Amino acid sequence: MRIIFMGTPDFAVPALLSIAKAEHDIVAVYTQPPRPAGRGMTVRNSPVHQEAEALGLPVRVPESLKSPAEQKRFAALEADAAVVVAYGLILPEMVLNGTRRGVFNIHASLLPRWRGAAPINRAIMAGDAESGVAIMRVTQGLDEGPVCLMDRVAIGPDMTAGELHDALSDLGAELMVEVLGSLVEGKLHCVEQDGNLATYAAKLSNEETRIDWARPAQEVHNHIRGLSPYPGAWFQIVQNGKAERVKVQGSTLETGRGAPGTLLDDRLTVACADGAVRLTRVQRAGKKPMLADAFLRGVDLPVGSTFI
């Protein structure tokens, strides 16, 4: 089957590799143009771009799909289907209708729960016990298309967004290959979503990343792991009379009581409104992530210190 693959970040790479391994004919790979990245802001190809080149696949990097010329190029590929995985561009109606059998998307949630930009983070931040992957036939509505296949993943009590990201990336690749196989055999059946059950996973904002120790411990813990490793929940400590930002990459629930934001022991346990969380992995500004004991050796934070 002739496939157009459309994706950009590392989340999409397993799907690209699995589809290629399944011996579908990938006639083109669409991905975001090279962007500056890293501390040196070096211009880099996207993860999908790099893998596509390694596979010897033709790569296209349009800034937009809105122009008639770009849409004509898309249609000229005469593809049977397109697969979209975190591509990052809006697909015009012509693209949605530009293949013989439709456009299919890997969405990292149990649709219709968590439609939108940040389903992995929002599921953990909300304290969901499970997440999953839905393979959806793409329509013009935001993540509103019929679901063709779905599977679930349990969210462990300390699982971070990064860990869930990796699990769902691999699962999505498996499910997409299965959906394409059913499509080839003429056995694919997709079910409309119940819009009344929909929730929206809004894009993460910088304003919501700061830790609020005045919330219950479970909520603080969910907030931390839902933003780990990126963009990272954070708090401030005072060192040498100056406030310093510290990101938290890992935490676990702990017993303990005290004024919210108070350091309760020498294991980096911090009091919340109800209970406490122990910070297991943190990152100082300009430093690499480190375990709690290494962090405490490098700062002046006696028990009773206040995190702000």
Side-chain angles (χ1 to χ4, degrees):
M1 190 159 62
R2 292 173 62 83
I3 301 292
I4 297 170
F5 188 90
M6 311 177 83
T8 297
D10 55 1
F11 183 84
V13 169
L16 174 63
L17 296 176
S18 294
I19 292 168
K21 187 176 180 180
E23 299 184 351
H24 293 289
D25 181 13
I26 302 176
V27 295
V29 173
Y30 280 74
T31 188
Q32 289 278 315
R35 310 282 192 203
R39 289 188 179 181
M41 296 302 287
T42 303
V43 175
R44 299 178 184 174
N45 292 336
S46 74
V48 164
H49 191 150
Q50 294 173 37
E51 291 295 338
E53 286 192 337
L55 292 169
L57 299 171
V59 178
R60 296 183 178 183
V61 290
E63 291 282 356
S64 169
L65 294 171
K66 295 180 180 180
S67 73
E70 197 59 58
Q71 293 178 18
K72 186 176 180 180
R73 290 187 74 210
F74 184 93
L77 292 168
E78 297 184 340
D80 294 303
V83 170
V84 181
V85 192
Y87 177 34
L89 288 183
I90 294 174
L91 303 184
E93 184 177 1
M94 179 274 147
V95 171
L96 295 181
N97 297 325
T99 65
R100 295 185 181 93
R101 302 191 184 186
V103 179
F104 298 88
N105 171 245
I106 297 176
H107 187 76
S109 82
L110 299 173
L111 289 172
R113 184 163 177 79
W114 300 128
R115 294 173 177 173
I120 294 174
N121 309 89
R122 297 298 177 188
I124 293 181
M125 292 169 75
D128 290 3
E130 63 179 4
S131 182
V133 166
I135 307 298
M136 173 190 65
R137 187 188 294 272
V138 182
T139 61
Q140 286 192 303
L142 176 66
D143 299 329
E144 294 177 6
V147 174
C148 309
L149 190 62
M150 189 157 62
D151 202 359
R152 300 169 184 271
V153 169
I155 298 177
D158 293 336
M159 179 180 272
T160 65
E163 292 165 343
L164 181 58
H165 166 285
D166 293 348
L168 297 184
S169 177
D170 291 338
L171 177 60
E174 281 181 40
L175 296 188
M176 182 57 78
V177 169
E178 187 175 341
V179 162
L180 294 178
S182 297
L183 191 62
V184 169
E185 296 170 1
K187 298 179 179 178
L188 186 63
H189 176 63
C190 304
V191 179
E192 295 292 339
Q193 298 181 41
D194 182 352
N196 294 321
L197 301 178
T199 58
Y200 180 62
K203 184 178 179 179
L204 298 172
S205 66
N206 290 332
E207 291 73 22
E208 63 183 317
T209 55
R210 187 170 190 163
I211 298 172
D212 181 1
W213 302 109
R215 296 167 65 186
Q218 183 67 67
E219 293 183 13
V220 172
H221 179 50
N222 292 345
H223 182 244
I224 289 169
R225 62 199 185 99
L227 297 176
S228 175
Y230 181 84
W234 59 276
F235 63 94
Q236 288 183 318
I237 58 175
V238 176
Q239 295 289 285
N240 300 317
K242 296 182 179 180
E244 176 185 333
R245 182 180 294 200
V246 180
K247 284 188 177 183
V248 184
Q249 300 288 356
S251 62
T252 191
L253 291 173
E254 192 61 85
T255 57
R257 298 179 63 183
T262 301
L263 179 64
L264 298 178
D265 57 23
D266 60 359
R267 300 172 66 231
L268 207 53
T269 302
V270 187
C272 302
D274 175 14
V277 294
R278 180 164 56 86
L279 310 183
T280 59
R281 189 173 177 85
V282 297
Q283 183 176 13
R284 299 179 71 179
K287 305 286 187 179
K288 294 182 178 180
M290 64 186 75
L291 297 178
D293 57 350
F295 168 74
L296 287 171
R297 286 197 297 269
V299 294
D300 179 21
L301 287 175
V303 173
S305 297
T306 300
F307 293 172
I308 54 179

